[in-house]
Amino acid sequence: MPGTFEPIPGGGAAVALDDVEISIIRSLAVQLLELIGPGPGGDAPEDPLAELFAEGPSEPPSDPVLRRLFPDAYGDPEGTPEAKEAEEQREYSAEFRRYTENDLRAGKRDNALAVVRTLDALNSVGDGGAVLKLSVAESRQWLGALNDLRLAIGSRLDIADEEDTDLLYRLPDEDPRKPMVMAYLWLGGLQETLVTTLMP
């Protein structure tokens, strides 16, 4: 089971992680939480009903990672040749974002928090590691968080397609991006094996 998720009886998944791997995943999840930010009313809203009806932003985020995590729903208006069509796309995307982004952020926040909490609840099994066991629901949250982490890292590495990923394998060891590349590829392996465990 080292380094890959495997199914466990009754559903869910398990993976053996060493202390360094636990620390890396936890640190990345915390950074993702900081990037996503608290909910519209902060961490403890005084009026949950007001938060339910709160409108989100209508403009895309300025940070490229957040733009990758919360893309426009109606494509990239910059790539649309007709000015009128581009303007319509911007309006539709703004309207969609206003009513969905808060929920999307909350979902991504919940997934990242689930990663931190499950890692914090681990008990060491000796040799500086532990076996992480996830329920089906926790596995789905981990899957969402792993996807978001890869999108975030991929955005920082300017990965736009499969060709960019192929180039990562050929980076020299002295390249300053190498640690981030290794994390990106490793998280991809975890994500792939976790998907397999959730397939019927």
Side-chain angles (χ1 to χ4, degrees):
M1 181 190 332
T4 60
F5 277 100
E6 293 183 3
I8 55 177
V15 62
L17 299 170
D18 64 32
D19 283 346
V20 173
E21 293 169 331
I22 291 167
S23 175
I24 290 170
I25 297 172
R26 189 185 189 287
S27 173
L28 289 172
V30 168
Q31 289 176 54
L32 182 64
L33 283 166
E34 290 170 355
L35 185 65
I36 293 170
D43 287 328
E46 291 181 22
D47 184 359
L49 193 58
E51 184 177 334
L52 180 66
F53 293 104
E55 290 186 5
S58 58
E59 294 297 318
S62 58
D63 185 294
V65 173
L66 288 174
R67 270 201 309 273
R68 189 87 173 261
L69 291 173
F70 305 102
D72 277 332
Y74 292 92
D76 179 13
E78 305 304 321
T80 307
E82 296 292 326
K84 183 177 181 208
E85 188 180 338
E87 184 56 36
E88 283 179 355
Q89 280 187 1
R90 269 192 279 278
E91 288 174 11
Y92 295 151
S93 290
E95 191 73 5
F96 188 83
R97 184 178 297 280
R98 184 178 297 120
Y99 294 109
T100 61
E101 187 168 313
N102 285 347
D103 287 342
L104 289 173
R105 281 183 186 260
K108 291 180 185 300
R109 194 178 304 111
D110 288 346
N111 291 342
L113 275 170
V115 168
V116 172
R117 287 178 180 142
T118 53
L119 291 176
D120 286 350
L122 280 177
N123 295 318
S124 179
V125 293
D127 295 332
V131 175
L132 174 70
K133 292 184 179 178
L134 303 173
S135 67
V136 173
E138 289 169 334
S139 295
R140 289 193 180 111
Q141 288 183 298
W142 263 74
L143 193 57
L146 287 172
N147 186 60
D148 289 341
L149 289 172
R150 291 193 77 234
L151 284 173
I153 294 171
S155 179
R156 293 286 188 238
L157 291 170
D158 291 325
I159 297 172
D161 54 36
E162 200 59 40
E163 275 184 30
D164 294 335
T165 305
D166 292 341
L167 292 173
L168 297 179
Y169 288 101
R170 296 194 289 276
L171 279 180
D173 288 343
E174 60 273 11
D175 192 299
R177 296 171 295 169
K178 190 74 171 190
M180 213 176 349
V181 167
M182 297 305 292
Y184 178 82
L185 298 173
W186 172 57
L187 291 173
L190 285 176
Q191 183 180 16
E192 188 176 333
T193 59
L194 184 53
V195 166
T196 304
T197 69
L198 292 173
M199 292 174 76

